[in-house]
């Protein structure tokens, strides 16, 4: 077999394999936990499907933010996993979910939301253009410092808590989710 024919067959086989993989994955491919994130669904719809974001969804529901995060946006949500919430002191999540603490919960959650669609490349460019870090204002009034180093995007809250993006650029109908490994908190 000549080399050109072999290369052509390999390319065709690769494209067919890629197409089959995308068809099996629904042509989206971004998984958060055991759930495939679908770009035609809202932030709340996708997060609700993920077992890794169950605590976040419960908190968003308790805080009355479901309608907001289902609206047109666009939003960038830094989504802490269940494991991120588990790093908080024992009993913190249960305390925040109580009716008397809903305003505090709402503030914490909205400190994870930026009122714009910021893909990882956008955050990296903002940081690079600003000497390696960039400040982002959140819907909750928090100022987060974004950094990019060692091929990782991190966000640091005003208390010095650092969250690393573990899954970037999860497309949503009304923005983007970046899954993070720590909960960010308002200035204490």
């Amino acid at each position: 077999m000549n080399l050109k024919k072999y290369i052509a067959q390999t390319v065709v086989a690769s494209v067919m394999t890629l197409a089959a993989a995308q068809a099996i994955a629904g042509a989206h491919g971004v998984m958060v936990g055991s759930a495939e994130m679908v770009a035609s669904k809202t932030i709340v719809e996708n997060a609700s499907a993920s077992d890794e974001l169950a605590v976040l969804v419960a908190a968003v529901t308790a805080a009355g933010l479901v309608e907001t995060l289902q609206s047109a946006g666009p939003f960038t949500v830094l989504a802490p996993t269940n494991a991120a919430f588990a790093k908080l002191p024992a009993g913190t999540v249960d305390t925040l979910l109580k009716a008397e603490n809903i305003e505090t919960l709402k503030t914490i959650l909205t400190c994870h939301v930026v009122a714009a669609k910021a893909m990882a490349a956008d955050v990296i460019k903002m940081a690079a253009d600003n000497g390696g870090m960039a400040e982002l204002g959140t819907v909750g009034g928090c100022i987060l410092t974004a950094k990019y180093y060692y091929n990782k995007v991190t966000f640091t809250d005003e208390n010095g808590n650092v969250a690393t993006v573990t899954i970037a650029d999860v497309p949503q109908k009304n923005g983007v989710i970046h899954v993070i490994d720590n909960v960010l908190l308002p200035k204490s």
Side-chain angles (χ1 to χ4, degrees), residues 91-174:
T92 300
V93 173
D94 291 334
T95 300
L96 288 170
L97 292 174
K98 291 181 179 177
E100 62 268 20
N101 298 317
I102 293 304
E103 287 305 312
T104 301
L105 176 62
K106 191 178 287 188
T107 300
I108 291 169
L109 293 173
T110 56
C111 281
H112 291 81
V113 180
V114 176
K117 183 177 180 180
M119 303 300 282
D122 301 324
V123 175
I124 292 167
K125 183 176 180 343
M126 286 188 312
D129 289 349
N130 197 34
M133 64 181 68
E135 289 187 346
L136 299 171
T138 68
V139 172
C142 297
I143 302 297
L144 303 177
T145 302
K147 295 179 186 176
Y148 177 70
Y149 60 96
Y150 296 110
N151 295 321
K152 292 182 182 179
V153 175
T154 63
F155 293 92
T156 304
D157 67 22
E158 295 164 300
N159 303 301
N161 299 310
V162 179
T164 300
V165 175
T166 58
I167 304 173
D169 296 340
V170 183
Q172 311 292 305
K173 177 180 179 179
N174 57 343

Side-chain angles (χ1 to χ4, degrees), residues 1-151:
M1 175 183 299
N2 74 33
L3 184 58
K4 284 184 180 181
K5 185 175 179 182
Y6 175 75
I7 291 171
Q9 287 176 342
T10 302
V11 168
V12 169
S14 297
V15 169
M16 290 172 56
T17 302
L18 178 60
Q22 288 177 333
I24 291 168
H28 306 288
V30 179
M31 301 292 289
V32 177
S34 62
E36 178 184 352
M37 301 290 104
V38 180
S40 62
K41 292 184 178 181
T42 67
I43 291 165
V44 172
E45 291 170 327
N46 274 321
S48 295
S50 174
D51 54 347
E52 290 292 316
L53 301 176
V55 175
L56 176 63
V57 171
V60 165
T61 302
L65 295 172
V66 170
E67 188 175 315
T68 300
L69 292 177
Q70 288 189 137
S71 69
F75 302 108
T76 298
V77 173
L78 305 175
T81 61
N82 298 342
F85 280 102
K87 292 178 184 178
L88 294 172
T92 300
V93 173
D94 291 334
T95 300
L96 288 170
L97 292 174
K98 291 181 179 177
E100 62 268 20
N101 298 317
I102 293 304
E103 287 305 312
T104 301
L105 176 62
K106 191 178 287 188
T107 300
I108 291 169
L109 293 173
T110 56
C111 281
H112 291 81
V113 180
V114 176
K117 183 177 180 180
M119 303 300 282
D122 301 324
V123 175
I124 292 167
K125 183 176 180 343
M126 286 188 312
D129 289 349
N130 197 34
M133 64 181 68
E135 289 187 346
L136 299 171
T138 68
V139 172
C142 297
I143 302 297
L144 303 177
T145 302
K147 295 179 186 176
Y148 177 70
Y149 60 96
Y150 296 110
N151 295 321

